[in-house]
Structures are given as structure tokens and as C-alpha cells.
Amino acid sequence: MTDPTQGRAFLIVMDSVGIGGAPDAAGFFNGDVPDSGANTLAHIARTRPLAMPHLDALGLGAALRLASGQGAPGLGAAPQGLWGAANEVSPGKDTPSGHWELAGVPVPWDWHYFPDTRPSFPADLSRRIAAAAGTGGILGDEHASGTEIIARLGDEHLRTGWPICYTSADSVLQIAAHEEAFGLERLYRLCVEVAAMVHPMRVGRVIARPFVGGPGSFARTPNRRDYAIAPPGDTLLDAAMRAGRATHSVGKIGDIFSHRGIGAEHKGKSDSDLAAQLLTLAETAEPGSLTFANFVEFDSLYGHRRDIEGYARALEWFDGVAGQVMARLRPGDLAIFTADHGNDPSWTGTDHTRERVPVLGWGLGPRAIGQVGFVDVAASIATHLGLQPVGPGKSFL
């Protein structure tokens, strides 16, 4: 059931597009370096002006100045949309924390992180993973880059059949295996079993990382799948579904929320595929519906790999997508463009960075909302859709 008397809502997350160190950034680190000086957007723009006319017209440059006091070459138009900056309170700078809080549920616990030692995993956990895989052991058992560890251990994986297990600075356990030699469905089943082992430890996600190819030419495939711990309370998605509204997830949103509150999932092999899905939903999503989208490649392809120019090109490409989305929206709709954390590609290390994020809105005309909380985004969308209040946030509408 939908509500034809109301407009629709689109919550669009530009994964890792931070706009300056959060108030508590000094307590978060990349290696031994605190995140207090990180600024994903400003540091990318420092290398060359950014051409992002659509999001800048909403207020992106203004939000950056509000959050960090810094301008950015190419950004600085007079805001024509709703604009501000948001701070996170959850004790993490990870994907689930950011998305859950944007949906109204701050994380009430400290995540478990595996130490940057060799081995990283407790011996008993490694034995249980191997038993679940039906193998004599596991490979990796360390902090690693996903592409690097596949290149280094792919040959041994093919020889032994043992899964490659690794982690990072996030609360995550990743399992890489060859789609053909190991089997894609077997990898998914293994990740389900491992998730049941580590979620009680407060490990946020188990991620299936399938790859193909042979020695010297291994490559990850788009068949990644995340097995996330369930949110600890009702989210904006739950509230919308409980009210009988249509809900759509684009990208990895369904995985992040353990598929709870999701009516229809829209997947793709790339952000380009997801953009096509979002453009279709901008035209076809039901009256009164909620569409929640994540564009991950800013983070996965460019932030973690510290690729500044690649990140800049992705931002400019996405700005064109945003312009097309806004052109398809209807009177009464609300679209909010935001982010879940930072990942400054100019920063030390390879981890996320603790940053404020932009909050840019289409559909309400010029409106400065100042500095708000992540949870205020959920409260505001709930207000727009006429839903019961969600979480501790306050609507900025």
C-alpha cells in the first residue's frame, strides 16, 4: 500500500564523500595519524578544480565551508537547495554505523576489530572457518588489501582449495575464493556460517569476495555479497514498511540492513549500473515510497586505494547522475544526497577517515540547516513521508 497524497523520498549515499574532520576526529586514526586534518572533498579539489555544478547548486561548496572552513576550487555557487553538514555519534567510521545512523539508529556498542598482527584471528575461529569450508585450514589470516592478497595467495588457493581470509581496520572479516574452482554458492554458504560465528562478537560484516582468472591475472568479480549484523533497532526502512509504503534499496543497502525493511532490491555490477537503476526509480517509484541508495565506488575503488584523480573523476561523473535524477523528480518529492563517513585519498594509510558529511536536499528550495546529526536525516525523511518518528533525531524540515 502507498500513500498517493504524498511525495516520495530518495536518500542517496555517496559512500565516503566527507567534508572535513568531525569534532571527535582526533580520536580516530589511520595507523598512528589522527583523522583530525582529513578532508576528502577539499583535498581532492586541491589537486584540481572540481566540475560539480548540480550538487554545488544545491549547496555542496557551502556545506564544505560550513563543515571545515575550507573552500574548494570549482565549488562555491550560491545554494539553491537545502544544505548543511552532519556529525555522527556512533563509535565507528564504518559503513554499517554511518548508514544505520542515517536511518535513525546510532550504534550502541563498540565494534570488535581484529588486531593488525599475524595471525589476526583467534586460533579457534580460524579452525571453525576451515571446518565450515571443509578444508585443512585457511590462507591469509591478516590485515590486507583485497586485490593485493588475491594476487599474492591466489595460486596457493587454487592448489590447496583453502579460502583466503583477511580483515582491515574496519570491523570486518572478508573471505576471498575463486568463483569456479571454489564455487560461488559455496562461498556464499561459507560466509553465512562465518557470520553466525562472528556477529555475536560484534564483528560488523562478513564479506564474500569472489574472484576469477589464473596466476598473474586474478581479478575480483562484481558478485561481492555482504553479511551484516542486523541493526539494533527499528530504522527508517522498518517504519516505512510498517506504514505500508513501498521501499526500494539500490546497491548494497539491502545487505547493510540485513534485508530488513526492504521491499525491492536493485543491484548492479558497477555504480554505472546502479545509476541506471536509480534513474528508473526516479521516474517509476510509487507515490509515498522511500528509495535508499548507496554508491560505493568512491570508497572501494578510489578512497581505500588512495587514487585522488580517480576519485575526482568519479565525483564529476556522479554529479551528472545527480542532475539527471533531479530532472526526473516530481513536485512534492524530496531527495537528500549525503555520505556515511570520509575516505580521504590524500591521507595516510588506507582506512576510512572520521569526517562530517554533506546534507544536500532537492525539493524544498533554498534552506540552510546548519550542522545537524546523522539521525536528523532519518527524522526529516520520516516527517516528509508522514511516518511515525524514527530514532532520537529532530527533523530539520
Side-chain angles (χ1 to χ4, degrees), residues 175 186-196 206-208 227:
I175 305 179
R186 181 185 173 197
L187 173 60
Y188 290 159
R189 289 194 299 271
L190 174 60
C191 288
V192 169
E193 292 189 51
V194 174
V206 174
I207 304 178
Y227 299 87

Side-chain angles (χ1 to χ4, degrees), residues 11-394:
L11 177 53
I12 301 164
V13 177
M14 304 175 289
D15 202 304
S16 85
V17 182
I19 55 172
D24 58 359
F28 294 81
F29 294 84
N30 265 266
D32 296 328
V33 178
D35 288 343
S36 46
N39 193 324
T40 299
L41 187 65
H43 289 167
I44 293 169
R46 182 183 296 169
T47 65
R48 66 167 176 83
L50 289 171
M52 301 180 66
H54 299 102
L55 292 175
D56 194 34
L58 290 182
L60 180 59
L64 174 63
R65 291 191 298 274
L66 172 67
S68 66
Q70 298 184 45
L75 304 177
Q80 299 302 307
L82 178 150
W83 65 276
N87 297 305
E88 182 178 11
V89 300
S90 298
K93 51 177 179 175
D94 54 274
T95 294
S97 295
H99 283 78
W100 291 359
E101 195 166 325
L102 288 168
V105 182
V107 177
W109 57 65
D110 289 324
W111 295 106
H112 178 81
Y113 301 94
F114 294 109
D116 191 2
T117 57
R118 216 169 192 186
S120 284
F121 307 129
D124 179 63
L125 176 60
S126 297
R127 286 192 294 269
R128 293 171 68 196
I129 295 172
T135 57
I138 63 172
L139 302 175
D141 201 350
E142 61 186 285
H143 280 232
S145 154
T147 51
E148 180 276 330
I149 200 169
I150 290 167
R152 175 163 49 89
L153 296 179
D155 290 5
E156 189 174 355
H157 167 70
L158 290 178
R159 287 196 306 271
T160 64
W162 294 10
I164 302 170
C165 302
Y166 60 103
T167 186
S168 69
D170 283 352
S171 179
V172 66
L173 195 160
Q174 306 199 61
I175 305 179
H178 198 280
E179 279 198 5
E180 296 155 359
F182 190 88
L184 184 60
E185 293 303 322
R186 181 185 173 197
L187 173 60
Y188 290 159
R189 289 194 299 271
L190 174 60
C191 288
V192 169
E193 292 189 51
V194 174
M197 300 175 196
V198 300
H199 284 170
M201 300 166 58
R202 302 301 190 205
V203 174
R205 287 177 294 165
V206 174
I207 304 178
R209 288 290 198 174
F211 63 96
V212 293
S217 62
F218 294 118
R220 295 201 296 202
T221 77
N223 294 320
R224 163 183 171 160
R225 190 170 290 181
D226 292 39
Y227 299 87
I229 192 171
D234 280 353
T235 70
L236 179 64
L237 288 161
D238 295 313
M241 180 161 279
R242 188 165 53 244
R245 305 301 181 85
T247 60
H248 298 272
S249 76
V250 179
K252 64 178 185 176
I253 294 297
D255 292 336
I256 294 168
F257 288 87
S258 293
H259 310 280
R260 209 176 72 194
I262 308 294
E265 293 194 51
H266 308 267
K267 294 280 194 175
K269 294 183 177 181
S270 66
D271 275 5
S272 179
D273 291 344
L274 299 180
Q277 300 272 18
L278 181 59
L279 288 170
T280 297
L281 286 166
E283 294 182 328
T284 64
E286 302 86 344
S289 61
L290 170 63
T291 296
F292 198 164
N294 170 279
F295 287 83
V296 70
E297 290 180 357
F298 303 112
D299 186 59
S300 62
L301 297 186
Y302 308 114
H304 286 301
R305 299 182 188 184
R306 297 308 191 239
D307 181 351
I308 297 175
E309 176 57 26
Y311 208 133
R313 290 194 304 269
L315 285 167
E316 293 175 335
W317 166 81
F318 183 78
D319 185 77
V321 172
Q324 294 180 63
V325 169
M326 289 184 276
R328 287 163 169 76
L329 297 177
R330 307 168 187 166
D333 287 347
L334 172 65
I336 291 181
F337 297 87
T338 186
D340 54 341
H341 49 70
N343 198 344
D344 187 340
S346 74
W347 209 240
T348 185
T350 61
D351 190 15
H352 298 149
T353 43
R354 179 76 163 190
E355 298 183 47
R356 294 182 171 101
V357 301
V359 179
L360 309 173
W362 180 97
L364 297 171
R367 183 181 301 197
I369 60 172
Q371 294 200 31
V372 299
F374 278 33
V375 289
D376 298 334
V377 173
S380 302
I381 292 176
T383 295
H384 174 75
L385 291 177
L387 303 175
Q388 291 296 312
V390 178
K394 295 181 179 179

